[in-house]
Amino acid sequence: MAAPMAAGLGVRLRAWLPRLTQVRWSRYNPSYIEPEVNKELYRKPPEELTEEEKEKLELKAVQPIKAAPPTLSSSVFSDPMISKFTNMMMKGGNKVLARSLMAQTLEAIKRKQLEKYHKAPEDEKETIECNPYVIFHQALKNCQPIIGVSNITKGGKTYQGSKDHLPSLQHKPAWAQLPDGPEVLTKPIPRQYQG
Amino acid sequence: MAATVGRVLRLGGPWSAAAPGGPRAQVLRLIYTTKAVQRKNVGASGPEKYTEEFIKKQIEEFNLGKRHLANMMGEDPETFTQEDIDRAIAYLFPSGLFDKRARPMMKHPTEIFPEQRKIQWGEDGRPFHFLFYTGKQAYYSLMHDTYEKLLNVQKYEDELTAQEIPSQKEKKNLAGSRWLTKIELEEMLLEKLSDNDYSRFIQLLQKLMTLPCGNIEEKYIQKFTREVPVQLQKVVIEPLKYDERGVAFSTGEGARKTARATAVVYDNGSGKVTVNGRDVLHYFPVLQDREQLLFPFQFLDRVGKHDMVCTVSGGGRSAQAGAIRLASAKALRSFVTEKEVEFMRQAGLLTYDPRVKERKKPGQEGARRKFTWKKR
């Protein structure tokens, strides 16, 4: 009852409290916040807004906002994950080439899926996913590691033991809960390497 | 009169007050100091560089000089404001110096001489304040006071719950205020603070404020808050103009890195965009640039409804696209309601992008890249 309001009020008047020394600096004043480009959030009528959202809006009205970068746009075709992937593909600053490669890849995915779609019988047509963005996101999720290594010091020596990469232990992906999930989860970890 | 003239001729800045206090004041004021005098004063550190009588005398001289100046300019001495003084000085002593602080100025002594701490111990050497030996007496006494207020509020709350009166939660509009910055707090306390001290103090204030009955201590808290201009829309939106055909249009200017652009957005259009006399497909062959040009229109759902004619120069391909995007967003403000202007601002369409190429530093190969490290 008092707690959520307290939290909201506490967040409102937070001054910029310097906790770390400045090594990376930016041309913007630290009080500037990131822009929100998603059109849907702005199309909501005022009645549908919750208390928190109204407070956030009021707070945002007072704060200065950074300029949207050239890679960000409100169109349906701009996706943050695809932009990040394109940037990682880029070599020597050649964004034109990276973007064209990305576009060709997505086109190739779409073509293959459409081929499958047209060849499939009527009842299976709904299961085939034709949207290349969805396929890309799913592919990235499938590639994410679930277990990594971390340093464990025991008896003076530093071993490398397993550590969960999952964002939270409660929200495991659906396929990991199946009995025939990846082997790694079912393999017993030797006692000496347990944390 | 000579005294007044001498006072007016004194350049701004604390160093020129090197002439030490009241007793040694001469009729002719020092306009410059020698190195010996400067060194002597720097060595004399301590809380009192200017005595109180000295400051009072300066204030009297300032007021007298103000009246003389008003008489000289032929204006009424009673209603001579600081702006009038600045104008008069700029007229009588024109200076071509670049730095405003180097030009002759005549301001109230409280603005020129920084506020100083009074001597904190008596004649027997015993300090007045009980927290003197902490080293930061003003800061710790402030923390003590604030904590006392916190305890008061908690006691009041307990009394209310004991009497079973429902506590009133009055919501204040806090979006328009901010806490004091560290520098402002240092000026208030006349003491140096560390970042840690400052953050502890702000956390304590926040705790005090978030208690349900924190409204009792509102006056105390208000001493440490400053108003923030409620709307960041200080910019005036120009009204629509109409050309000979009766079509509404609006102009906007934008810049990004070295590129400068002007855009004229016409109403009742079909989405045609002309840049420097050429079609947009010719000028921007890359999809990303055309996406940026369309961004403001797509955000407002006005994609095929406006025509645009732009001129752009300077910068590269992406910078020119960004400049035109800013110019068109500024022009679209006139066509659209205030709420949508605020949405555009929150989407980052109306902010000038300050990012420019970082300079190369000596001893490094580029702005950040260092030379290859060689062991030998």
Side-chain angles (χ1 to χ4, degrees):
Chain A
M1 143 203 79
M5 204 180 86
L9 287 175
V11 162
R12 273 160 162 250
L13 279 192
R14 174 164 311 181
W16 172 64
L17 304 171
R19 294 210 192 276
L20 310 160
T21 50
Q22 301 286 91
V23 175
R24 290 181 189 286
W25 55 276
S26 93
R27 296 277 306 181
Y28 289 108
N29 190 295
S31 56
Y32 277 63
I33 35 177
E34 298 295 327
E36 177 57 63
V37 172
N38 192 359
K39 265 202 295 189
E40 302 308 311
L41 295 177
Y42 295 120
R43 293 285 173 264
K44 270 193 194 170
E47 301 86 44
E48 276 183 39
L49 295 175
T50 60
E51 276 294 318
E52 271 186 27
E53 289 185 346
K54 280 197 185 128
E55 281 181 17
K56 247 190 358 190
L57 262 186
E58 267 185 40
L59 198 59
K60 253 192 158 180
V62 205
Q63 286 166 326
I65 310 223
K66 298 187 190 175
T71 43
L72 204 55
S73 156
S74 64
S75 80
V76 284
F77 301 112
S78 79
D79 184 42
M81 224 184 259
I82 301 266
S83 312
K84 184 84 187 170
F85 196 77
T86 323
N87 287 342
M88 306 199 87
M89 268 204 308
M90 175 166 64
K91 274 192 183 175
N94 197 346
K95 183 74 142 258
V96 179
L97 183 62
R99 257 186 91 120
S100 63
L101 288 176
M102 194 74 220
Q104 285 167 25
T105 316
L106 293 173
E107 193 191 323
I109 296 175
K110 179 95 188 189
R111 278 182 197 276
K112 283 199 182 161
Q113 289 301 98
L114 275 180
E115 233 185 85
K116 267 196 257 177
Y117 183 83
H118 288 300
K119 283 195 190 155
E122 283 305 318
D123 44 346
E124 281 178 37
K125 274 199 175 171
E126 285 148 8
T127 55
I128 298 180
E129 178 60 60
C130 280
N131 188 350
Y133 289 87
V134 168
I135 294 192
F136 186 83
H137 287 231
Q138 188 58 47
L140 270 189
K141 254 195 257 182
N142 290 346
C143 294
Q144 275 170 5
I146 10 152
I147 286 200
V149 284
S150 72
N151 292 345
I152 298 173
T153 316
K154 243 186 176 169
K157 274 195 177 177
T158 319
Y159 301 100
Q160 294 206 310
S162 63
K163 173 189 86 157
D164 279 310
H165 262 310
L166 298 170
S168 93
L169 289 172
Q170 290 138 24
H171 300 296
K172 283 192 186 161
W175 50 263
Q177 283 157 1
L178 297 170
D180 51 338
E183 259 185 32
V184 187
L185 278 178
T186 55
K187 218 186 199 176
I189 300 163
R191 199 189 169 72
Q192 53 186 151
Y193 293 143
Q194 281 174 12
Chain B
M1 191 60 183
T4 343
V5 167
R7 169 90 180 90
V8 162
L9 276 176
R10 180 187 298 235
L11 294 177
W15 66 265
S16 68
R24 279 184 49 194
Q26 298 149 18
V27 174
L28 278 173
R29 295 266 167 258
L30 281 175
I31 305 175
Y32 60 89
T33 58
T34 55
K35 274 204 175 157
V37 181
Q38 266 181 320
R39 244 184 286 134
K40 195 161 62 163
N41 269 333
V42 162
S45 59
E48 290 236 343
K49 287 194 193 100
Y50 320 113
T51 50
E52 272 191 52
E53 325 149 356
F54 172 71
I55 302 260
K56 272 197 206 135
K57 196 154 182 196
Q58 296 295 316
I59 297 178
E60 281 166 23
E61 280 177 22
F62 172 78
N63 288 326
L64 210 59
K66 203 165 93 170
R67 297 183 74 89
H68 279 300
L69 191 62
N71 280 329
M72 268 197 269
M73 301 298 289
E75 304 211 17
D76 181 20
E78 303 297 329
T79 55
F80 207 55
T81 58
Q82 185 60 43
E83 289 154 4
D84 297 326
I85 297 180
D86 293 332
R87 257 186 291 128
I89 297 291
Y91 170 71
L92 290 170
F93 303 100
S95 157
L97 294 174
F98 182 79
D99 195 350
K100 299 268 193 307
R101 291 172 295 179
R103 300 182 189 174
M105 67 159 116
M106 184 169 159
K107 295 220 188 291
H108 195 85
T110 44
E111 289 173 45
I112 297 186
F113 300 107
E115 241 186 275
Q116 289 177 326
R117 282 183 287 173
K118 309 188 184 66
I119 285 190
Q120 288 151 343
W121 53 87
E123 279 180 5
D124 55 347
R126 200 154 176 259
F128 296 130
H129 202 284
F130 73 102
L131 287 172
F132 174 77
Y133 287 111
T134 57
K136 305 182 243 181
Q137 66 174 47
Y139 170 70
Y140 282 114
S141 69
L142 182 71
M143 292 290 275
H144 273 292
D145 290 337
T146 317
Y147 193 66
E148 199 189 312
K149 304 276 180 216
L150 192 84
L151 291 175
N152 275 347
V153 169
Q154 282 175 346
K155 214 168 63 171
Y156 183 70
E157 251 181 74
D158 293 336
E159 282 171 15
L160 281 187
T161 44
Q163 293 165 21
E164 291 180 2
I165 299 169
S167 56
Q168 305 141 353
K169 287 169 231 162
E170 293 153 21
K171 231 178 165 180
K172 289 180 284 185
N173 184 12
L174 299 162
S177 51
R178 62 165 177 90
W179 293 120
L180 280 188
T181 57
K182 183 169 163 247
I183 302 171
E184 285 172 350
L185 190 62
E186 277 182 1
E187 275 172 34
M188 209 167 99
L189 297 177
L190 296 176
E191 238 179 37
K192 285 254 181 270
L193 290 176
S194 80
D195 292 339
N196 212 3
D197 294 338
Y198 172 70
S199 52
R200 291 294 293 274
F201 177 61
I202 297 291
Q203 279 165 15
L204 194 58
L205 277 179
Q206 276 170 355
K207 195 170 170 194
L208 179 58
M209 206 184 56
T210 53
L211 290 176
C213 298
N215 297 326
I216 311 166
E217 306 296 344
E218 214 179 299
K219 267 195 204 150
Y220 182 75
I221 297 177
Q222 264 174 16
K223 276 196 256 174
F224 303 106
T225 51
R226 291 276 176 274
E227 278 283 318
V228 170
V230 177
Q231 283 302 323
L232 272 192
Q233 292 172 330
K234 296 173 212 159
V235 189
V236 176
I237 304 171
E238 283 176 11
L240 285 174
K241 286 174 266 189
Y242 293 88
D243 69 354
E244 317 94 33
R245 289 174 296 156
V247 176
F249 72 94
S250 167
T251 18
E253 283 180 0
R256 170 99 210 271
K257 286 192 192 177
T258 331
R260 303 283 178 263
T262 45
V264 186
V265 178
Y266 293 94
D267 208 357
N268 300 341
S270 57
K272 207 171 86 161
V273 179
T274 316
V275 184
N276 280 358
R278 289 149 68 187
D279 190 34
V280 69
L281 275 172
H282 279 291
Y283 200 83
F284 290 121
V286 180
L287 175 66
Q288 181 185 313
D289 305 334
R290 276 175 277 145
E291 214 177 25
Q292 286 296 291
L293 293 201
L294 277 180
F295 184 6
F297 299 97
Q298 207 270 343
F299 185 76
L300 298 167
D301 292 327
R302 284 164 178 253
V303 175
K305 300 185 190 158
H306 292 281
D307 274 341
M308 190 159 69
V309 176
C310 353
T311 46
V312 63
S313 66
R317 163 208 111 212
S318 187
Q320 287 188 340
I324 301 180
R325 181 186 94 181
L326 183 60
S328 60
K330 284 188 176 171
L332 277 174
R333 281 185 307 197
S334 322
F335 286 94
V336 144
T337 57
E338 259 196 38
K339 240 188 166 180
E340 295 203 278
V341 173
E342 176 60 25
F343 289 153
M344 271 214 289
R345 187 191 75 93
Q346 287 187 8
L349 279 169
L350 294 173
T351 324
Y352 169 71
D353 201 335
R355 301 178 295 171
V356 285
K357 194 162 173 174
E358 205 176 307
R359 71 159 274 201
K360 175 198 172 319
K361 283 106 192 169
Q364 293 177 3
E365 200 176 304
R368 299 276 171 120
R369 157 119 175 118
K370 322 282 184 279
F371 288 122
T372 316
W373 180 75
K374 294 196 182 112
K375 203 162 177 178
R376 310 200 156 77

